[in-house]
Amino acid sequence: MLRRLSSLFVALESPTYRTLWFNIGLAGVGRWTLTMAIGWLMLLLTHSGFWTGAGMFAMQGPALIGAPLAGYIADISDRRIMLTVSQVITAIALLALAVIVGMQVVTPLSALALALLIGLAFSVQMTGWNALLPSLVRRDRIFNAVALQSTAQRGAEFIGPALGSLIMTFAGLPWVFAFCGAAYAVAAFQPLALPPSDPRPTRQRGAATSALAQERRWLGAENRATLFLLLLVVCLHCSITMAFMGVLPIFAQVALHGDSNTYGSLLSAIGLGSLAATLLGGGVRDARWQGALYGATTVLSGVTLAILGGTHAVAAAFGAALVVGASQALFMTLSLSFIQERVQDAARGRVSSVYTFISAGVMSVANWGYGALAAFFAPGLLLMAGGALFSALGAGLLGLAPELRALMRGDASNVIAPALVEVSPAAVLADDL
């Protein structure tokens, strides 16, 4: 029993990975507290679903620009410095937001401008975390490391809104933003404790045609179709189901007749479900079980969202939110792990940036769209329609694409061979010499 429990945390045996894990968790608490606060702030300022969706877009939309740039930078420079600079910028912007909200001079446009800056910095952080992670653990522990990364993020998704709701109730909204800024200020210098990272710099500075040829070689012809399909399903998932955050504050207010505490509690329930699923799922080592879970969560993440949309009682909504968080988080964890296992370190920054572009940028556009549609349709109806649509599309792709069917059977023929020792950036460079 103890041995099985220890397998859930095997990636944490790496001291450098532990440092990254704590950084992800601490920054995540600040981010998810901010997600709750910015949505509620925009709703208080405007009473508009369009502006609430705009606030969610500002938190993630800059990934459409920031992620591709961050991916290139991550493949030619020290990823630790990239993380630290982006987190310092986030802390300063959050403290500025706390000041203008406290002085009651905040406007929808000023809040949106600071949220855009924070969103741009966060797209850099997501890309940096995903690019750094596989170089800190053995390849045969990547899935566990990705699951624990997701556990840190989902734990923050549970803790952040819960703390934010308490701070908002007893101290006021300005102090919520101040708390977020403090969390980022503490997190900002943790990445500097990691080993320097400068993956294969000479290969990145060649001519465009040479770089393209190198990237094709690193990805491998047998991986490209699988990677494309994995990223396509993630794109559909993020734009159809995970975009419900743009309408969730209105759902809490209109369908559940609740207030900020109801909204914060829904977010916490989603985070708790996410935390439990990724923690338990991280102990699954067998590729066949991982594939089966991928297929199941592809369908369930839509079905459970449709169930949430159909609830009208607060207790039932909390229960539905738990399973929404569990299925969606496990699907995203499995998807990222499958992607990471099929990419070499030299191209990891750019591939990670595509994942960030989708999971933050594309989702932010859909969040805004959902918020705008809430002016014309009932929020519960939007959740039900989105959930049903994704389940149908996901099931269709799983049935039609042979690459995804092979993945669900546990076929790991195009997975990069696992290393027997922990890989460091320095070792990767040494292999080239």
Side-chain angles (χ1 to χ4, degrees):
M1 180 66 177
L2 290 175
R3 184 177 179 180
R4 181 166 179 79
L5 285 175
S6 66
S7 70
L8 299 178
F9 307 98
V10 66
L12 289 173
E13 292 177 3
S14 164
T16 52
Y17 175 74
R18 284 200 301 270
T19 299
L20 184 71
W21 188 81
F22 280 116
N23 183 255
I24 292 169
L26 186 56
V29 169
R31 173 168 174 77
W32 279 103
T33 306
L34 174 63
T35 299
M36 183 209 72
I38 200 71
W40 200 252
L41 173 65
M42 299 303 286
L43 193 61
L44 289 177
L45 291 174
T46 66
H47 304 286
S48 164
F50 175 84
W51 279 98
T52 303
M56 296 296 180
F57 172 82
M59 292 288 297
Q60 298 175 316
L64 295 170
I65 298 173
L69 179 61
Y72 175 75
I73 294 172
D75 281 343
I76 65 170
S77 64
D78 194 331
R79 294 164 183 168
R80 306 171 311 149
I81 304 301
M82 187 176 79
L83 274 176
T84 293
V85 171
S86 65
Q87 290 178 348
V88 167
I89 291 172
T90 303
I92 293 171
L94 283 166
L95 294 174
L97 188 56
V99 170
I100 63 173
V101 173
M103 296 177 64
Q104 299 184 357
V105 295
V106 64
T107 65
L109 286 178
S110 62
L112 205 61
L114 286 170
L116 282 168
L117 178 59
I118 293 167
L120 181 62
F122 181 68
S123 70
V124 174
Q125 292 157 33
M126 283 186 66
T127 301
W129 288 329
N130 290 335
L132 267 173
L133 181 149
S135 66
L136 303 179
V137 295
R138 293 174 3 188
R139 286 202 184 277
D140 58 343
R141 295 181 176 182
I142 285 179
F143 174 67
N144 183 254
V146 172
L148 287 173
Q149 173 188 353
S150 184
T151 298
Q153 292 170 327
R154 303 311 173 182
E157 188 177 349
F158 167 64
I159 295 170
L163 287 174
S165 294
L166 288 173
I167 296 170
M168 191 184 301
T169 300
F170 294 105
L173 194 55
W175 288 101
V176 178
F177 294 115
F179 168 77
C180 298
Y184 265 99
V186 174
F189 299 98
Q190 289 178 322
L192 297 179
L194 298 173
S197 164
D198 191 5
R200 308 179 188 227
T202 58
R203 293 189 179 185
Q204 306 300 320
R205 298 188 180 109
T209 54
S210 175
L212 178 60
Q214 289 169 352
E215 188 165 336
R216 289 174 66 87
R217 184 171 70 251
W218 290 331
L219 294 180
E222 70 280 7
N223 283 344
R224 287 196 293 273
T226 304
L227 285 170
F228 172 79
L229 286 166
L230 285 167
L231 288 167
L232 174 61
V233 181
V234 167
C235 186
L236 292 172
H237 185 261
C238 290
S239 58
I240 299 175
T241 63
M242 290 191 74
F244 71 90
M245 289 295 183
V247 77
L248 194 63
I250 303 167
F251 177 77
Q253 189 179 60
V254 174
L256 301 180
H257 308 288
D259 54 14
S260 62
N261 287 326
T262 307
Y263 170 50
S265 297
L266 277 178
L267 284 178
S268 290
I270 292 167
L272 182 60
S274 302
L275 175 63
T278 52
L279 181 60
L280 295 175
V284 177
R285 306 287 291 274
D286 191 285
R288 291 169 297 180
W289 277 105
Q290 291 175 5
L293 283 173
Y294 176 77
T297 54
T298 299
V299 176
L300 285 175
S301 59
V303 171
T304 55
L305 183 66
I307 293 171
L308 174 62
T311 59
H312 296 285
V314 173
F318 290 162
L322 281 169
V323 291
V324 167
S327 57
Q328 293 193 357
L330 193 52
F331 167 82
M332 293 296 285
T333 298
L334 287 160
S335 297
L336 180 57
S337 174
F338 292 154
I339 291 167
Q340 295 282 32
E341 289 172 346
R342 288 161 174 81
V343 180
Q344 293 190 21
D345 194 60
R348 201 177 301 281
R350 280 160 292 169
V351 174
S352 295
S353 74
V354 175
Y355 182 86
T356 303
F357 180 91
I358 293 170
S359 61
V362 171
M363 186 166 68
S364 67
V365 175
N367 260 321
W368 198 352
Y370 265 67
L373 287 173
F376 305 99
F377 301 98
L381 179 62
L382 291 173
L383 298 182
M384 288 189 287
L389 177 60
F390 176 75
S391 289
L393 292 174
L397 283 170
L398 292 176
L400 294 174
E403 293 85 358
L404 294 181
R405 292 201 305 271
L407 187 147
M408 288 190 293
R409 293 194 302 268
D411 182 1
S413 59
N414 59 350
V415 173
I416 296 171
L420 296 178
V421 296
E422 186 165 327
V423 179
S424 68
V428 171
L429 285 172
D431 287 342
D432 285 348
L433 300 177

